[in-house]
């Protein structure tokens, strides 16, 4: 064997020996830590139109999602029964958003509420008359909460709708644990009244980006995040109405619905990916039952939810389910890293 051949053989042998000496023994390498599933919380304010109740429930069935519906209780009163509600500092029968069109509509809405609850969705409070309560006292807020509870519990009897489903009153007394303030308008008095009234979460906040909800006095406080949107990636609150104002100044532009839907979807997807590939902080998205800009924002929601809620490492859950899991000490579901 030539000298060069002997050197090459020695080098190969040395490398093989070194590799054997420094290789990790089988099974000694620690597994990568499990990552929490990405949580997405989708909610709807006011929860009025029957067609949108049906559409949202169908979306949930397709994707395995569970939603939170922030109900305005004036939609459980018709023009004949509107006097059952008296807002703080107002005369009876006043509302910023009207009332149900008829007793039949109330009946249909009650049916949708019951079906959604039976399917595992979260029924929460948006108050009643959609008034801005920034100047209300704690007592004012407690009056509003009491009105909501009374009207929900007695909705069948108030409107003369029969039969009342078995267990309805028990559901009305105990199922509603969350609140979102109209106009996202909050105050010290509101946050004093919420735990006093037995609420477990509030979803009226706004944050610069997705954040973990802090808990104060037993109340989890969620915030809709501002997310980058549009060609200049300017921040906007992740709610359909705010996008509607951003895109068209709050006026209908149906000819641009496709463009607005795509911009909304891209903003949602980018905000999702940022958390999904990062710290996996829960992402919250808010909607109404109104089809603004020819349904652009609902079209974007259905596209988004249809892609992300079906992922094995994503959970599209309600606010109630999220706080229940945290409160019980149950660890968030995780997936292999």
């Amino acid at each position: 064997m030539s000298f060069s051949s002997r050197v090459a053989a020695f080098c190969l042998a040395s490398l093989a020996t070194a590799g054997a000496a420094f290789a990790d023994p089988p099974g000694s390498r620690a597994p990568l830590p499990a990552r929490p599933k990405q949580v997405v919380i989708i909610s709807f304010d006011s929860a009025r139109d029957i067609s949108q109740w049906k559409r949202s429930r169908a979306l949930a069935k397709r994707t395995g999602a569970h939603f939170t519906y922030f109900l305005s209780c004036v939609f459980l009163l018709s023009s004949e029964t509107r006097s059952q509600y008296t807002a703080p500092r107002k005369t009876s029968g006043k509302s910023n958003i009207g009332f149900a069109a008829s007793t039949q509509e109330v009946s249909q809405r009650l049916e949708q509420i019951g079906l959604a609850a039976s399917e595992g969705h979260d029924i929460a409070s948006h108050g009643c008359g959609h008034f801005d309560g920034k100047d209300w006292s704690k007592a004012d807020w407690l009056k509003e909460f009491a009105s909501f509870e009374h009207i929900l519990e007695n909705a069948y009897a108030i409107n003369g709708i029969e039969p009342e489903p078995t267990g309805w009153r028990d559901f009305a007394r105990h199922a509603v644990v969350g609140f979102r303030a109209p106009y996202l308008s909050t105050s010290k008095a509101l946050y004093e009244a919420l735990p006093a009234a037995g609420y477990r979460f509030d979803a009226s906040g706004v944050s610069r980006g997705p954040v973990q909800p802090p808990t104060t006095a037993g109340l989890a406080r969620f915030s809709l995040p501002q997310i980058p949107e549009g060609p200049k990636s300017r921040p906007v609150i992740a709610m359909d109405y705010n996008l509607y104002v951003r895109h068209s100044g709050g006026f209908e532009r149906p000819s641009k619905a496709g463009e607005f839907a795509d911009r909304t979807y891209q903003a949602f997807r980018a905000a999702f990916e940022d958390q999904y590939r990062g710290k996996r902080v829960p992402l919250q998205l808010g909607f109404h039952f109104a089809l603004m800009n020819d349904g652009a924002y609902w079209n974007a929601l259905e596209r988004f939810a249809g892609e992300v809620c079906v992922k094995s490492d994503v959970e599209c859950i309600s606010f109630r389910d999220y706080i229940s899991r945290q409160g019980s000490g149950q660890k968030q579901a995780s997936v292999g890293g």
Side-chain angles (χ1 to χ4, degrees):
M1 180 182 295
S2 67
F3 176 79
S4 59
S5 298
R6 288 197 300 272
V7 171
F10 173 79
C11 290
L12 290 171
S14 299
L15 288 172
T17 304
F22 292 103
D24 292 331
S28 68
R29 184 170 295 174
L32 293 173
R35 299 193 70 196
K37 288 190 176 184
Q38 176 64 49
V39 168
V40 178
I41 304 176
I42 297 168
S43 60
F44 303 95
D45 288 9
S46 292
R48 181 172 190 169
D49 295 71
I50 305 303
S51 61
Q52 298 305 98
W53 272 104
K54 294 177 179 178
R55 183 174 175 180
S56 62
R57 290 176 46 238
L59 174 61
K61 289 177 181 178
R62 293 197 303 273
T63 61
H66 286 116
F67 303 136
T68 293
Y69 294 92
F70 290 105
L71 174 69
S72 295
C73 84
V74 291
F75 298 138
L76 301 182
L77 300 173
S78 67
S79 58
E80 291 77 21
T81 57
R82 62 190 294 170
S83 62
Q84 289 282 330
Y85 171 61
T86 302
R89 310 183 189 186
K90 305 286 184 182
T91 57
S92 66
K94 301 294 184 182
S95 165
N96 263 358
I97 51 175
F99 293 85
S102 65
T103 300
Q104 180 182 6
E105 185 189 286
V106 174
S107 179
Q108 292 174 330
R109 188 168 296 109
L110 288 169
E111 179 185 25
Q112 290 300 313
I113 292 169
L115 288 170
S118 71
E119 292 160 0
H121 298 291
D122 175 20
I123 307 300
S125 172
H126 200 40
C128 287
H130 211 273
F131 293 106
D132 187 341
K134 67 179 182 299
D135 296 324
W136 286 359
S137 66
K138 177 181 177 181
D140 289 334
W141 277 113
L142 290 174
K143 178 182 179 180
E144 181 79 348
F145 298 153
S147 293
F148 180 94
E149 293 161 11
H150 172 77
I151 291 168
L152 181 63
E153 180 179 342
N154 296 280
Y156 282 89
I158 288 171
N159 293 282
I161 300 169
E162 296 180 344
E164 179 179 293
T166 302
W168 173 263
R169 290 173 183 265
D170 185 65
F171 157 78
R173 292 187 194 110
H174 303 295
V176 176
V177 298
F179 176 76
R180 174 173 283 156
Y183 311 106
L184 303 179
S185 182
T186 61
S187 66
K188 179 182 178 182
L190 170 64
Y191 288 123
E192 290 173 348
L194 282 165
Y199 285 96
R200 295 176 56 202
F201 75 84
D202 171 78
S204 309
V206 175
S207 56
R208 289 192 176 183
V211 294
Q212 293 284 359
T215 298
T216 304
L219 184 76
R221 292 168 60 167
F222 292 89
S223 296
L224 282 166
Q226 296 182 67
I227 60 174
E229 189 276 336
K232 297 183 179 179
S233 296
R234 291 188 296 138
V236 65
I237 297 173
M239 179 174 262
D240 56 359
Y241 179 75
N242 301 82
L243 288 156
Y244 178 54
V245 172
R246 161 71 59 82
H247 292 159
S248 59
F251 295 94
E252 286 296 314
R253 295 183 65 186
S255 64
K256 304 268 284 184
E259 175 188 332
F260 296 151
D262 188 62
R263 278 181 56 168
T264 299
Y265 165 79
Q266 296 297 340
F268 289 168
R269 192 63 197 247
F272 169 82
E273 293 294 341
D274 189 47
Q275 295 306 318
Y276 184 65
R277 301 181 188 281
K279 296 182 179 180
R280 296 204 168 179
V281 175
L283 174 65
Q284 300 169 53
L285 303 175
F287 297 86
H288 294 76
F289 271 16
L291 295 177
M292 293 169 269
N293 275 329
D294 200 28
Y297 310 105
W298 272 69
N299 292 339
L301 165 63
E302 289 175 323
R303 180 182 174 189
F304 173 80
E307 291 178 0
V308 308
C309 293
V310 297
K311 289 179 175 287
S312 61
D313 54 354
V314 174
E315 292 182 309
C316 291
I317 61 175
S318 68
F319 287 108
R320 182 195 61 200
D321 288 346
Y322 183 84
I323 63 163
S324 294
R325 185 172 62 196
Q326 304 302 309
S328 68
Q330 178 184 351
K331 291 184 177 180
Q332 186 178 349
S334 59
V335 294

